[in-house]
Structures are given as C-alpha cells and as structure tokens.
Amino acid sequence: MEGAGVLLRRSVFPRASNEFDPFLLFDHFAFNNPMEGPLRGFPMHPHRGIETVTYILDGSVSHRDSLGNSGVIGPGDVQWMTSGRGILHEEMPRRGESGNIFGFQLWVNLPAAQKMSQPRYQEVNSSTIPTIQKNGATIRLVAGELDGVFGPVTEIAASPIYMDVKLEPASKFIYPIPDGYTCLAYVFEGTGEFAEQVVESVSMVVFNDDGKQIEITSETGVRFMLIAGAPFKEPIVPYGPFVMNTVEEIQQTLAELRNGTFIK
Ligand code: MN
C-alpha cells in the first residue's frame, strides 16, 4: 500500500544496499476491478535526489507540481521527472474507457553532484516514442538506442535504457548491454526464456553482470520492460520519497520541509 492507500506490486524499493544501482524502485500499478478495490492516488508529496519515470499503458495519471506544471499522462505516454533539489507533486490515476489503469513507475538515482540540481520534467507523448519492429518483436523505445534509433528521453544521469518489448510467439530478442550496466526485465504478460531460464509473468528478472548481450525467446509470446543503466557506486540513504548520500542530507531535507524552505 502506498500514497493514499494505493495497492501496487513493488519489486524494487530503495534501501542502503542499493543492489540495483542506479535503479531505486519499480512499482506496477494495475487497478482492474474488482481486484484492487476503490481508486486512490498520490496526493501532494515531496521528492529530492531522484528521478521518477511514469509509463502508462491503460487509463491515465493527472498530475500537478510546485513548478507550475500540470497535465495528464495517457496511454503510451511517459513522464520523466527529475526532482533534483526538490519538488512537490500530486499524481492521481484515472480509469480509462476499459475501466482499468495499468502502468509503471521507475525511480532512478541521481549522482551526488546532481542531487541538488534544478528540478525538471520531460513529458513524452505516445506519438513521439519510436516503435521498432524486428524479428517478431515490437519495441517502444523510451530511452537509449536500438539499431541507430534513439528514445526521446535524454540527458539522464544514469544513461538509462528503457523500453517496452513485446515478442510474438516463436520469436527472439537480442540486445547488447553496455559493460558494467545493471540490467533488469519486468515481465508483465506471457512467458519467455530469459538467458535460458523460463520466466512467467508477473516477474522481475535480474541479469547477472557477466554477459555483453541479453537474449530473450518466447514460444507463446511475452511482454516486458527492459531496464538498464550505469551504476553510480555511491552510498545512499533512502528516506521515504528522498534518496540522498548521507544521513545529514536527509536531516537537512526534513528541516527544510519543517521550516518552509524545501521549495526555493
Ligand atoms: Mn511522486
């Protein structure tokens, strides 16, 4: 349960061990009646020291923030929010025509040198996300490069790769992962073989850091988010919606929230 009582699947969450560096959190929200009960959201809350990436496949999320931005993230859209030194925002899911909401939120760390940077948003409309068809795979490329095509989300500290990959039955997807990258796959439909291991949805796959390319095959079809990025290898201190490098920086953040200087 998160926010004002939102039930979600959380496969990665911020902790000091930071084993998925540079990724801090992965939430999957799916309000599909009657399983998840009444619709609730995430009323106004702060962030510091991270980036959040919201990707919606069904329904929408309406949002507004302390920078004066507001809008709706609809099916196929992406919002990439760099909290930097501080932002307050509200994220409220709405059901689509199907009656469902389905989407993901990924948190990416910021390196120490950028934790107190200027906050910003990258709003990406569905129509501007490249869709690539390749050997029975349909790939929506949010960030990173595939066959010379680049995703629209750029200038992110972790140089991430983030893509939605759907494999038709009896097809294969091979992707070269840069040396040293952390690589995850969130499998949310169907079944596939990930590095020769059968994985059924819903599962988070963690690839070992010992291969330069990943290979996924499927007999019956599979869909997953591929998530990869360069680790920062810095100590982290997570505290709720803040992820800093030291306890003192968390104490400073809480003091600023109390005395009204968090938003500058
Ligand atoms: Mn938030």
Side-chain angles (χ1 to χ4, degrees):
M1 298 286 275
E2 193 54 274
V6 180
L7 188 63
L8 43 76
R9 293 190 175 98
R10 174 165 294 167
S11 44
V12 175
F13 63 94
R15 47 185 170 176
S17 57
N18 202 13
E19 59 192 300
F20 306 112
D21 183 10
F23 303 110
L24 298 164
L25 174 144
F26 192 86
D27 277 353
H28 172 189
F29 34 94
F31 300 91
N32 302 313
N33 258 337
M35 189 171 77
E36 274 93 3
L39 183 53
R40 300 187 176 98
F42 305 89
M44 214 41 103
H45 59 278
H47 288 291
R48 173 174 281 180
I50 61 166
E51 309 194 70
T52 68
V53 189
T54 307
Y55 181 52
I56 300 297
L57 289 170
D58 198 359
S60 64
V61 173
S62 65
H63 68 91
R64 58 195 178 95
D65 69 60
S66 54
L67 300 174
N69 298 302
S70 64
V72 175
I73 314 165
D77 296 346
V78 173
Q79 181 198 68
W80 200 297
M81 186 277 286
T82 305
S83 76
R85 70 187 177 213
I87 197 165
L88 288 164
H89 74 168
E90 179 184 87
E91 303 162 284
M92 304 303 278
R94 303 246 167 93
R95 293 185 195 280
E97 280 172 25
S98 67
N100 294 335
I101 295 173
F102 196 98
F104 308 109
Q105 189 168 84
L106 172 70
W107 289 14
V108 190
N109 200 13
L110 282 168
Q114 291 181 39
K115 282 196 180 290
M116 296 298 279
S117 61
Q118 192 78 12
R120 70 165 180 161
Y121 274 96
Q122 295 185 61
E123 299 260 14
V124 181
N125 189 274
S126 179
S127 63
T128 66
I129 297 178
T131 300
I132 299 152
Q133 308 274 350
K134 186 180 180 180
N135 306 328
T138 303
I139 302 124
R140 300 192 78 231
L141 186 59
V142 176
E145 184 263 336
L146 178 65
D147 294 345
V149 178
F150 289 84
V153 175
T154 57
E155 294 172 57
I156 300 298
S159 304
I161 294 157
Y162 195 41
M163 56 179 88
D164 170 354
V165 182
K166 184 173 189 175
L167 289 188
E168 298 305 321
S171 62
K172 180 191 272 194
F173 178 72
I174 295 172
Y175 188 81
I177 300 292
D179 271 350
Y181 265 42
T182 298
C183 185
L184 309 171
Y186 191 75
V187 185
F188 61 96
E189 277 176 27
T191 302
E193 289 193 22
F194 292 74
E196 299 181 345
Q197 286 191 47
V198 175
V199 178
E200 289 177 31
S201 61
V202 175
S203 300
M204 179 66 92
V205 176
V206 181
F207 290 92
N208 291 327
D209 189 19
D210 58 3
K212 287 194 171 64
Q213 73 175 18
I214 56 164
E215 187 171 313
I216 295 122
T217 60
S218 181
E219 287 307 310
T220 54
V222 69
R223 189 171 181 186
F224 59 94
M225 299 303 296
L226 181 67
I227 308 160
F232 297 118
K233 299 178 180 171
E234 293 176 347
I236 61 165
V237 179
Y239 188 87
F242 316 114
V243 180
M244 301 303 286
N245 299 109
T246 67
V247 171
E248 291 70 27
E249 288 166 344
I250 293 292
Q251 289 167 343
Q252 175 68 23
T253 301
L254 297 175
E256 288 176 25
L257 274 171
R258 277 195 302 272
N259 67 26
T261 59
F262 178 75
I263 297 297
K264 294 185 174 69

